[in-house]
Amino acid sequence: MSENPIDMRDGLAVSARELLARAAAAELRAYKGLMVAVDDFFLPEEARLDEHSRAGLAALLRGLVETVEGEIREHAVRLLTGRSETLLVAKLIEPGNSVLARLWNSGLLRDGELMGELIARVRQEMLGAALPMSAPDDPERPSLINRFVQHPDRVVAASAMAVLIAESRRRGSPEVGQFQTELPAELHHRLVWWTAAALRERVVDASESLDRVLCDAAQRSLAAYDEGDRLEAAAMRFAAAIDAQPDELPAMLVESLGDRRIVLFIALLGHGMGVPYELARDLVLDPAADRLWLALRALDIGREGVAQVGYALSEADPRRDLEKFADTLDTIAAIAPAEARAALAPLKLDPDYRAALIALQRGGAK
């Protein structure tokens, strides 16, 4: 009889069970992968993100998570170091599972509001970058926003400068420490707490001390965040400060597109309509653009102004049909401003009320 206390047959049985379990998991994985591929295949083209958009979205998401992670980790390490918690410091800074990967695999990043904001931001930036550059009639004349920086009204000048500062900050890079999330406050709040939880999970034997430190670090990040610093918020304040009159607005809208400042165009449109920035952005990013044409007519933008806006957006967005727009331009221009305002009146209802109405429609039949 062997003196070896290890039962090889039992060892083979355990290995066999593990192998079968792994095979079953692989089969399930393959099925889920197939279903994802099937869903993707049947997506209508207008709903599918192109590769450029996907790459931009992935880069933006990585930058957001890594920025928040860096802020929380840095402050947590500082607090732990001050308390001589060297072991926890070492565990918190040692390489481990990626916070981004953990949030991705958890499904938290599938949050509809978060992804809706990020996709809109990516598409907005792509649209702005692709707008045709319009040469001014006077080459010596400064751009629209730069002219207002020199405005004698200090409120107007300060709001214009705030837009330039926000633009510079938006172009910042995580690698040089200039990147900021610039999310709506509620979405920033969610991301901060998700990130703190993912950092905590990386430390296997986490203690109450670590929990308190991560909470303090998250609270500090939230306290330091100002939603009003966002580029979109600065642009809306600028639009409110100049309060473009009906005879001024058409030229400003066209010039903002010529300057490739899509955020400023959206802000001017939103202020003119009396709706939030996000709603005006939805109208501008929609390639069908039916609501946008109505909005321009509601603001009494004439045929020439509508044509200039439509041409610029069609040139910048391959999803738009320039020929179809040209064919409908006369029809758009014939819509009376009062009729357009009446058609768009529901957009000015309370956002929560509108969201409730949409939620009921999504729920199906009565």
Side-chain angles (χ1 to χ4, degrees):
M1 182 176 178
S2 170
E3 298 296 327
N4 190 340
I6 300 176
D7 188 341
M8 295 301 293
R9 288 174 301 174
D10 184 60
L12 289 173
V14 171
S15 296
R17 285 197 296 270
E18 289 178 352
L19 186 60
L20 288 171
R22 284 162 50 191
E27 185 175 11
L28 178 60
R29 243 186 349 264
Y31 175 76
K32 288 181 177 178
L34 174 62
M35 291 300 99
V36 170
V38 170
D39 289 341
D40 180 72
F41 178 77
F42 284 101
L43 274 177
E45 282 301 318
E46 60 270 19
R48 180 177 285 110
L49 289 177
D50 59 79
E51 288 305 312
H52 192 187
S53 299
R54 289 175 63 88
L57 181 59
L60 176 57
L61 189 57
R62 182 179 300 106
L64 294 178
V65 173
E66 290 180 352
T67 296
V68 173
E69 177 187 355
E71 289 178 355
I72 295 175
R73 189 202 308 276
E74 181 181 344
H75 188 61
V77 166
R78 187 182 305 121
L79 292 175
L80 291 170
T81 301
R83 300 173 188 180
S84 300
E85 297 271 12
T86 55
L87 184 59
L88 282 177
V89 169
K91 291 181 177 180
L92 199 57
I93 64 176
E94 70 181 1
N97 294 331
S98 163
V99 168
L100 176 59
R102 181 66 184 100
L103 294 180
W104 185 289
N105 294 331
S106 72
L108 287 174
L109 295 179
R110 288 179 174 267
D111 182 274
E113 292 182 16
L114 174 64
M115 295 310 296
E117 174 65 26
L118 298 189
I119 290 172
R121 184 158 142 189
V122 167
R123 284 179 167 163
Q124 170 184 278
E125 292 178 358
M126 289 174 57
L127 183 63
L131 284 169
M133 184 66 78
S134 176
D137 296 333
D138 180 3
E140 301 298 322
R141 190 187 192 200
S143 67
L144 176 65
I145 195 72
N146 284 307
R147 291 202 306 276
F148 280 101
V149 169
Q150 303 165 10
H151 199 279
D153 186 322
R154 289 185 299 172
V155 174
V156 172
S159 64
M161 180 58 72
V163 171
L164 291 179
I165 293 172
E167 284 181 340
S168 175
R169 186 168 51 241
R170 176 64 61 87
R171 291 192 294 267
S173 167
E175 287 74 18
V176 295
Q178 295 177 335
F179 191 85
Q180 296 188 25
T181 66
E182 295 213 16
L183 290 171
E186 184 178 346
L187 297 181
H188 179 78
H189 184 276
R190 291 180 205 173
L191 187 59
V192 165
W193 287 117
W194 292 343
T195 303
L199 282 170
R200 195 266 190 199
E201 192 179 75
R202 289 183 52 178
V203 180
V204 178
D205 51 347
S207 64
E208 183 182 346
S209 176
L210 179 62
D211 286 331
R212 287 198 304 269
V213 163
L214 288 174
C215 284
D216 288 345
Q219 291 284 9
R220 177 179 179 270
S221 177
L222 293 174
Y225 188 72
D226 186 354
E227 184 181 26
D229 288 340
R230 300 174 63 220
L231 173 57
E232 291 80 0
M236 285 298 285
R237 289 195 300 271
F238 170 72
I242 61 174
D243 193 23
Q245 297 305 296
D247 60 329
E248 301 171 322
L249 185 57
M252 287 187 178
L253 287 171
V254 171
E255 188 175 359
S256 62
L257 288 180
D259 291 340
R260 303 173 80 181
R261 283 192 160 96
I262 189 66
V263 173
L264 183 56
F265 174 83
I266 295 171
L268 289 169
L269 179 70
H271 177 73
M273 293 178 64
V275 300
Y277 181 92
E278 290 73 19
L279 181 52
R281 181 178 62 187
D282 288 345
L283 269 59
V284 173
L285 295 183
D286 180 4
D290 295 328
R291 294 178 301 170
L292 175 60
W293 310 142
L294 283 176
L296 294 177
R297 290 300 298 136
L299 294 172
D300 206 7
I301 308 298
R303 185 182 189 282
E304 182 180 355
V306 173
Q308 290 174 301
V309 169
Y311 171 76
L313 294 179
S314 297
E315 285 290 294
D317 188 348
R319 299 176 302 163
R320 300 173 193 257
D321 189 332
L322 181 57
E323 291 185 5
K324 181 179 178 181
F325 167 69
D327 290 340
T328 58
L329 180 57
D330 289 335
T331 302
I332 296 169
I335 298 173
E339 185 181 1
R341 285 192 289 270
L344 293 176
L347 295 181
K348 295 188 178 183
L349 296 173
D350 186 286
D352 290 334
Y353 179 67
R354 292 183 60 248
L357 292 174
I358 294 172
L360 280 177
Q361 292 170 1
R362 288 173 180 166
K366 297 179 181 179

